[in-house]
Amino acid sequence: MNSVREVLRLDRVGKRYPMGDTIVDALVDASFTLNEGEAVAILGPSGSGKSTLMHLLGFLDSPTSGEVIFEGRPVAALTERQRARIRAEKIGFVFQAFNLLPRLSVRANVALPLAYNSAPPADAEARVDRALELVGMTHRAHHKPGELSGGQRQRVAIARALVNEPRILLADEPTGNLDTKTAAAILDLFQELNRLGRTIIVVTHSPEIAARFKRQIHVLDGRVTEGSA
Amino acid sequence: MKRLFSGVINGLAEIWGHKLRSLLTISCVMLGVASMVVTTGFMEGFFGTWEASLQEAGGLEKISGVPQSLSERQAPFAPVSKGFTLADARALTELVPTIAVLSPEIDAESSRLTRKGRRFVGRAQGVTNGIFEINRYEVAEGRMFSDLDMNDHADVIIIGSEVTKNCFQPGENPLGQFLDYNGRPFLIIGVLKHYERLYGTYNTLNWKNDVAFIPITTMASKVQRSDQLSWINMKSEDLSRLRETVDAAANVLAQQHRGLIDFKVKTNEESLASYASTKASFVVGGSAIAGVSLLVSGIGIMNLMLASINERVREIGIRKAIGATPFNIFSQFVAEAVTLSLLGGAAGVGVAVAMIQGLGAVLPPGSAPMLAPSAFWVGFAFSVTAGVLAGIYPAVQAAKLDPIEALRYE
């Protein structure tokens, strides 16, 4: 039997925000399972609740109801420190705005997550080299982010997300600030990474981008529905 | 360790990134540390010298009988008392058994000792061997006075190192040679140890080298031509019987002086008490200066750290998203604050060294501050403390930031 390993599961997850006098339901009863090796697009217009969903999947936020379960353990039971460790070691984040530290070189930016590893890997240098090579940025390793184009910066951000060899890559509108051609190259890179066995979750508002992923999850007004390619 | 190191590197990068702002903050710490180190230097120098002088002037067991002017009521009877005389010394020895050592002294300031056209002008004293024990003098070469010297009113002399320096060629041995004092030759039978405690280039114990001793009997009969004493020093047999000895001595002296209180019996307790109280008030004053400096440095650092965190909210969000724990963020900012204040501290110690040397060149030797090794530790501890204390609040603020809010921050 071909066993599928569950990585992340949402069980009737809800998120409410107080906003002024009213209460906003950003997410209502969201339930789905993400398995190892999947490539998933979370699709929804802006304000639909997909960013909330992304924050919940990355433990940056806690649900007001329901449970997020990571590798079989409920996230609510973890301390903030344990969550930070999981983020450091098992989840790689890619942001729309790249979020590189402008002071640091490309190399130092990529190496940043290694500093937060509980035991810094012995092959830290080699890992940084591998990650830079994977995204094709080895030749710019000593530049500052300000000296790079948007596509190059996003490649560096992806290398940073990959340096700890995480099981999951969480990307929030990774092509939002890029032109069409560069965006296509980044999406090709994600597909390549997925083929290498990584679980990829991409949050996007663009149906065209979502269409490139095997599985799609639609978010609209805080409600989650399973779509298909 | 690795994280601490990266915190320091980060701190240096931040300082470099905001040169003017960092320079101002570092200056705050620098001035704080410099004022601390110089103040400590002043105190160390001042009290070190004072304490050594107290020790060298005889310890706590020392009791002095010194002349004092009569009260108005007794003033008309002044001729009745002869003041301190050798008879007083004999009476004290006989009647107060708790006096272990007694030293009657005739003091002749501005005495001239001459030899082959060279001369020494300074203090000559008529003494007994008691002075060596009570005032802590040591005969380095030769001998002390013998009973024969005392009984015969012998023309013998024991000299301090300043006398040797003034009246002899370097390398010449003064023992067995003669010095002219008051028109007669005195045989040098002993040379005192050279006393030295440098305060910069100034020898604060030089007063102990600036003396010459002759037998008190010789001084009384041949030089002063009366047995009037300048004062009597005594040493109590036991510190616990000090009070008792003082009272007994005062009684004997009152008897000898026919009831006229033209003397005072005092102990080193008084000078020790004034030393202690002065030191206490300086410590309080010094601590106040240190406190204010610490506060000013701390405010400077905290201001810079808060501004820096405000500018780096997004960075904090990013670091948290990629796995930094709140403690990681906290220690990063504390490390940055400490780096900043250590730089200021190092600069402050440098400035203090320059200031102390500058003041040393300008101020008279006795009052210039001293470069105390402890001052470096004080400066170091001071800057680390200021850095940690001022870093904690901003670092806690940074560690508490909500990563989602922080990532949204523009």
Side-chain angles (χ1 to χ4, degrees):
Chain A
M1 201 176 104
N2 198 2
S3 72
V4 183
R5 280 183 60 196
E6 168 192 313
V7 185
L8 252 174
R9 192 171 82 225
L10 265 62
D11 189 13
R12 303 174 63 82
V13 166
K15 181 73 189 178
R16 294 186 146 175
Y17 294 106
M19 194 176 271
D21 294 337
T22 56
I23 285 177
V24 177
D25 278 304
L27 211 58
V28 184
D29 269 351
S31 295
F32 58 85
T33 304
L34 296 171
N35 293 319
E36 188 157 16
E38 272 194 301
V40 186
I42 293 175
L43 178 66
S46 66
S48 60
K50 59 184 193 308
S51 285
T52 305
L53 187 56
M54 157 101 180
H55 291 146
L56 289 168
L57 290 173
F59 323 153
L60 289 172
D61 205 352
S62 308
T64 38
S65 63
E67 264 190 339
V68 180
I69 293 145
F70 181 82
E71 293 182 334
R73 276 185 298 172
V75 173
L78 302 174
T79 63
E80 191 167 359
R81 189 186 161 80
Q82 287 170 315
R83 286 181 217 181
R85 284 279 164 267
I86 294 177
R87 274 205 297 280
E89 289 163 18
K90 296 189 171 169
I91 302 177
F93 274 93
V94 179
F95 303 92
Q96 177 174 5
F98 322 130
N99 282 342
L100 299 173
L101 299 186
R103 267 191 295 112
L104 304 182
S105 69
V106 162
R107 214 188 149 75
N109 262 292
V110 173
L112 207 54
L114 296 171
Y116 301 125
N117 230 321
S118 50
D123 59 341
E125 291 294 310
R127 281 196 191 203
V128 174
D129 290 336
R130 271 209 300 280
L132 282 170
E133 202 182 312
L134 201 60
V135 298
M137 287 300 294
T138 309
H139 63 299
R140 306 304 290 271
H142 297 292
H143 289 249
K144 292 276 166 72
E147 299 159 9
L148 305 179
S149 71
Q152 288 175 321
R153 287 188 214 177
Q154 194 58 299
R155 283 172 186 275
V156 174
I158 293 169
R160 181 179 68 189
L162 291 173
V163 76
N164 267 328
E165 298 174 0
R167 295 181 65 182
I168 305 175
L169 204 59
L170 260 174
D172 186 8
E173 302 277 10
T175 58
N177 284 349
L178 303 176
D179 61 68
T180 326
K181 198 173 148 225
T182 319
I186 295 290
L187 290 172
D188 287 342
L189 180 58
F190 278 131
Q191 260 149 5
E192 172 69 18
L193 291 169
N194 180 234
R195 222 182 16 260
L196 293 171
R198 235 165 285 280
T199 311
I200 310 271
I201 304 163
V202 171
V203 175
T204 181
H205 67 281
S206 150
E208 296 86 60
I209 291 170
R212 296 185 56 154
F213 291 83
K214 282 187 212 124
R215 184 179 169 195
Q216 295 168 7
I217 292 168
H218 294 268
V219 189
L220 194 63
D221 294 333
R223 292 182 191 277
V224 169
T225 50
E226 195 82 27
S228 59
Chain B
M1 195 62 214
K2 188 184 131 193
R3 273 182 209 138
L4 182 73
F5 184 68
S6 76
V8 171
I9 296 286
N10 249 313
L12 290 174
E14 272 303 306
I15 289 163
W16 194 245
H18 302 100
K19 292 182 198 65
L20 179 65
R21 195 164 78 182
S22 308
L23 192 71
L24 292 174
T25 306
I26 289 173
S27 306
C28 276
V29 184
M30 183 185 82
L31 292 177
V33 169
S35 73
M36 257 321 288
V37 172
V38 173
T39 310
T40 312
F42 262 115
M43 293 194 356
E44 291 264 338
F46 183 60
F47 288 104
T49 308
W50 192 351
E51 198 176 323
S53 298
L54 276 181
Q55 284 298 328
E56 289 300 328
L60 266 178
E61 311 92 341
K62 183 175 165 183
I63 302 166
S64 305
V66 294
Q68 169 183 261
S69 47
L70 285 169
S71 69
E72 217 174 302
R73 251 181 36 178
Q74 290 193 329
F77 306 103
V80 171
S81 167
K82 286 196 269 176
F84 285 101
T85 60
L86 276 172
D88 292 348
R90 280 191 293 272
L92 285 167
T93 315
E94 275 166 30
L95 299 172
V96 186
T98 52
I99 293 174
V101 191
L102 189 100
S103 168
E105 294 169 31
I106 298 175
D107 188 56
E109 267 183 277
S110 319
S111 298
R112 288 164 62 97
L113 302 175
T114 54
R115 175 178 172 272
K116 293 184 185 164
R118 305 177 73 121
R119 65 176 187 161
F120 164 83
V121 179
R123 162 171 286 174
Q125 284 186 293
V127 301
T128 63
N129 282 335
I131 196 168
F132 298 108
E133 181 165 349
I134 294 179
N135 281 351
R136 302 190 189 185
Y137 285 102
E138 209 176 295
V139 176
E141 282 173 81
R143 60 173 179 87
M144 294 196 277
F145 300 115
S146 65
D147 289 346
L148 215 57
D149 295 331
M150 288 292 165
N151 292 335
D152 288 355
H153 303 204
D155 295 341
V156 292
I157 190 164
I158 296 174
I159 57 175
S161 64
E162 278 297 309
V163 183
T164 312
K165 205 173 95 188
N166 280 287
C167 300
F168 290 89
Q169 305 280 356
E172 210 176 342
N173 186 4
L175 279 185
Q177 312 234 35
F178 287 89
L179 266 179
D180 287 329
Y181 176 43
N182 205 36
R184 49 174 79 233
F186 278 74
L187 175 68
I188 298 171
I189 57 165
V191 176
L192 294 174
K193 181 182 147 186
H194 176 68
Y195 293 90
E196 190 170 87
R197 187 188 151 91
L198 289 178
Y199 182 51
T201 53
Y202 177 72
N203 181 5
T204 56
L205 288 183
N206 210 38
W207 56 274
K208 292 193 80 160
N209 302 323
D210 241 344
V211 290
F213 297 144
I214 61 173
I216 194 159
T217 47
T218 314
M219 183 66 108
S221 64
K222 297 179 178 171
V223 181
Q224 187 179 256
R225 294 183 197 285
S226 90
D227 71 346
Q228 183 92 42
L229 301 181
S230 302
W231 53 73
I232 298 178
N233 285 326
M234 295 153 263
K235 187 175 166 185
S236 168
E237 171 188 84
D238 187 338
L239 206 52
S240 63
R241 308 185 74 172
L242 186 70
R243 214 53 272 161
E244 191 185 317
T245 311
V246 169
D247 291 345
N251 269 334
V252 171
L253 287 173
Q255 194 72 29
Q256 287 284 118
H257 295 206
R258 299 187 176 186
L260 289 190
I261 309 304
D262 57 353
F263 62 88
K264 192 166 109 185
V265 180
K266 58 176 195 176
T267 62
N268 271 348
E269 271 177 323
E270 286 159 35
S271 28
L272 211 71
S274 90
Y275 167 79
S277 73
T278 311
K279 188 167 184 175
S281 63
F282 268 69
V283 165
V284 169
S287 310
I289 293 173
V292 171
S293 314
L294 194 76
L295 198 69
V296 171
S297 309
I299 290 170
I301 296 169
M302 198 185 280
N303 191 22
L304 182 121
M305 291 311 291
L306 286 173
S308 158
I309 285 164
N310 231 349
E311 277 173 15
R312 289 158 71 195
V313 168
R314 200 178 176 85
E315 174 188 332
I316 295 163
I318 296 166
R319 286 181 183 269
K320 282 196 160 180
I322 64 173
T325 59
F327 182 73
N328 291 149
I329 301 290
F330 172 82
S331 44
Q332 179 192 338
F333 282 99
V334 170
E336 285 190 25
V338 172
T339 305
L340 201 65
S341 67
L342 273 181
L343 281 179
V349 168
V351 167
V353 169
M355 266 172 79
I356 287 173
Q357 266 160 9
L359 286 173
V362 176
L363 292 178
S367 57
M370 216 165 57
L371 205 53
S374 64
F376 292 100
W377 292 111
V378 169
F380 179 75
F382 175 91
S383 41
V384 171
T385 312
V388 170
L389 289 183
I392 283 177
Y393 174 74
V396 166
Q397 295 302 105
K400 276 204 317 213
L401 277 178
D402 176 6
I404 298 172
E405 289 297 319
L407 279 171
R408 259 189 220 132
Y409 189 86
E410 291 297 333

